[in-house]
Amino acid sequence: MKIIDFKTPARLEDAGRTLKELGEAGLLLAGGTSLVFNKGKAGRTAVDIRRLGLSGIKELPEAFLVGALTPVAELQEFRAKGWALDRVARAFATQQIRNMSTFGGNLARVFRWNDFPVALLALECEMTVRTLTGQDRPVRGSEFLAASPRRFLPDGDILTAVKVGRLASGWGFGYRKEVRTHADFSLATAAVAARVVSGRIVELRAAAGAALPFPKRLEKVESLLVGKAVPRKGLDEDAFLAEAREGCAGLPWKGECGFSDAYAAALAPVAVRDAVAAAVRDAQEGNHG
Amino acid sequence: MAETRKISFTLNGEKREFSVLPDEHLLHLLRRSGCKGVKFGCGEGSCGTCTVIIDGRAEYSCILYAFQADGRDVRTIEGVGDFDKPHPFQEALVESSGVQCGYCTPGMVLSAKALLDQDPRPTEAKAREYMDGVLCRCTGYEKIWTAFRKVSGGGSDGR
């Protein structure tokens, strides 16, 4: 990425206006950690919004309101009943990157290996976009994350906050990332939120990503697992493997880093299986609500 | 040709002004400003030899544009300790033969300092989480962990 100039607007409105004026020559800069992967040779003017606030986590009755510029490290360190993103943050790159990267940056600049979109599909979320005219526009998370976020972020519009679902009593969360090395990008990611009542899965939201062009809810896995009995003791992960394989079949899995598509298709159900087991255990332990 | 711009930040306790090019990374600014303890390794935010502490947090200076440091507090290994008064972790590294080739040592020390300043007695699990951003190419992690345990009270998870 060739940066030819930088601007540090004092207000969000100024940032939006500057980005609109610059058009393709402008670049919204938050943490900036993803720019190393952008090999574009065209010079861009960075519009650095890191000092505009938009950072912090606020507890709401049924959700958490997370500022788009909240560093991933803050998600990692935050603790509250029903909060699950600390587990996602801990598996995110390295501590240095967690200190630098922002939550919004990971959502707005979607690479297929990005971590938070998958988790947010399982937890459910709603984005807030500040438009160029100063309005706060809500966007359903499932729509925002289904394809390129650019659709909802025309030049000058800025993602400012995300409302993240809070796990209620009886719910559990599981998150798995298949990586070659500890801090590597994910080859396949799965996140699951499950509600267990009287030894049975009664609700389940499963999502996968990294090995798909965009993260996706796994409706078939969900329908196969809702109603399934889960023993309180001696839970066997492989109890979920058949459903994970059947539910993941036929999706357009893509291998990266030299791995074949067939390998990705075999790896994804393993991540899903592990995430389901982790979510069920989390629910059985009564960690939320 | 991009023009240089003025920025200022506190470097190792001293407020300083710098002329920077828009696409100059902090690593290069620090090295040309005399902080040669900031090492170039991967140049893509993976290996951690370029680690510095910014506003109390360990960050990679090789992928941070210099202008992003404007107004902040930056600490390099030159601002942590010296031969006469080393940081306790520096001392422990020497005592534990944990320095090895030395290339990752500034990053290791700064990662440890950032954690210990925040939590002087972290659990082993937390320490492994917060120290995961620097690679030792000698692969001698055990000696580094021995040194870390000396200064962190053993890293017991049962505290």
Side-chain angles (χ1 to χ4, degrees):
Chain A
M1 174 68 68
K2 178 78 179 161
I3 302 293
I4 55 169
D5 196 6
F6 61 89
K7 298 187 184 298
T8 51
R11 298 180 315 151
L12 197 56
E13 296 71 33
D14 299 335
R17 225 176 356 260
T18 305
L19 285 162
K20 179 71 178 170
E21 285 164 13
L22 288 166
E24 285 298 308
L27 175 81
L28 183 71
L29 183 69
T33 52
S34 64
L35 299 185
V36 70
F37 304 107
N38 189 325
K39 303 296 182 196
K41 289 195 169 71
R44 310 276 291 273
T45 295
V47 180
D48 186 356
I49 61 165
R50 195 69 190 265
R51 290 143 215 260
L52 297 181
L54 304 180
S55 178
I57 305 167
K58 190 177 164 188
E59 289 194 57
L60 306 173
E62 293 182 349
F64 299 92
L65 189 64
V66 186
L69 293 182
T70 306
V72 173
E74 203 172 321
L75 310 181
Q76 172 192 7
E77 290 161 6
F78 184 75
R79 295 288 182 277
K81 281 204 173 224
W83 175 251
L85 290 185
D86 57 311
R87 278 175 266 175
V88 183
R90 282 206 300 274
F92 184 101
T94 64
Q95 191 59 44
Q96 280 82 336
I97 296 289
R98 294 189 285 272
N99 290 336
M100 301 167 76
S101 288
T102 63
F103 185 45
N106 196 250
L107 300 173
R109 192 176 296 280
V110 167
F111 294 111
R112 56 193 262 189
W113 59 75
N114 280 12
D115 297 330
F116 287 103
V118 182
L120 290 182
L121 282 181
L123 291 169
E124 298 193 319
C125 67
E126 182 184 272
M127 278 64 182
T128 300
V129 174
R130 176 71 57 87
T131 68
L132 199 53
T133 55
Q135 308 294 312
D136 280 334
R137 180 163 49 98
V139 181
R140 280 180 56 189
S142 55
E143 290 175 31
F144 186 91
L145 299 168
S148 171
R150 288 286 295 174
R151 298 167 301 142
F152 295 100
L153 300 168
D155 291 335
D157 287 11
I158 296 171
L159 175 68
T160 56
V162 182
K163 202 186 282 182
V164 181
R166 180 196 283 262
L167 294 169
S169 179
W171 282 86
F173 180 72
Y175 179 75
R176 284 294 180 271
K177 208 171 141 177
E178 299 290 343
V179 289
R180 292 175 301 177
T181 58
H182 163 73
D184 204 358
F185 298 119
S186 180
L187 297 171
T189 305
V192 171
R195 187 160 77 94
V196 176
V197 177
S198 304
R200 202 167 285 279
I201 298 173
V202 294
E203 285 183 82
L204 188 128
R205 294 191 298 267
L212 292 167
F214 288 96
K216 184 174 168 35
R217 276 281 289 271
L218 303 172
E219 287 91 356
K220 194 166 178 195
V221 171
E222 295 172 4
S223 66
L224 287 167
L225 285 171
V226 168
K228 189 177 174 80
V230 283
R232 189 161 182 83
K233 284 189 179 172
L235 181 68
D236 178 5
E237 276 90 345
D238 280 344
F240 305 117
L241 188 56
E243 289 90 345
R245 280 191 176 137
E246 190 181 340
C248 289
L251 292 172
W253 303 107
K254 292 290 290 179
E256 270 283 10
C257 307
F259 294 104
S260 67
D261 294 353
Y263 180 72
L267 194 59
V270 173
V272 172
R273 173 200 69 181
D274 290 349
V276 172
V280 168
R281 276 201 200 95
D282 196 34
Q284 288 174 332
E285 287 166 8
N287 292 330
H288 307 286
Chain B
M1 178 77 181
E3 289 180 12
T4 58
R5 299 268 298 270
K6 294 276 188 206
I7 62 165
S8 65
F9 58 82
T10 303
L11 177 58
N12 296 326
E14 186 188 343
K15 183 91 187 271
R16 290 178 60 174
E17 197 170 85
F18 303 90
S19 293
V20 299
L21 286 165
D23 65 345
E24 181 173 18
H25 286 105
L26 182 62
L27 163 83
H28 301 294
L29 171 63
L30 292 172
R31 285 187 61 82
R32 72 176 168 81
S33 301
C35 296
K36 298 290 175 70
V38 188
K39 306 295 187 198
F40 182 85
C42 64
E44 57 177 32
S46 294
C47 75
T49 60
C50 67
T51 295
V52 296
I53 297 176
I54 303 184
D55 295 338
R57 296 278 192 173
E59 299 194 9
Y60 293 137
S61 64
C62 73
I63 55 170
L64 190 77
Y65 289 103
F67 70 80
Q68 291 178 282
D70 189 29
R72 301 173 77 184
D73 184 87
V74 179
R75 194 159 289 270
T76 69
I77 196 68
E78 287 82 358
V80 171
D82 56 29
F83 283 108
D84 296 327
K85 201 177 174 194
H87 185 275
F89 184 52
Q90 289 175 308
E91 211 161 7
L93 278 171
V94 174
E95 286 170 6
S96 309
S97 305
V99 174
Q100 301 161 123
C101 89
Y103 206 77
C104 75
T105 306
M108 288 287 183
V109 171
L110 289 159
S111 296
K113 177 177 163 46
L115 170 58
L116 293 168
D117 286 353
Q118 185 198 81
D119 182 353
R121 293 177 67 82
T123 61
E124 177 94 11
K126 183 173 180 182
R128 287 188 180 276
E129 205 170 299
Y130 280 70
M131 294 283 289
D132 70 352
V134 184
L135 301 177
C136 165
R137 61 185 186 180
C138 304
T139 71
Y141 291 98
E142 270 314 309
K143 292 172 180 174
I144 295 167
W145 277 108
T146 301
F148 187 81
R149 288 186 192 106
K150 283 185 183 176
V151 296
S152 63
S156 165
D157 278 357
R159 76 188 164 104

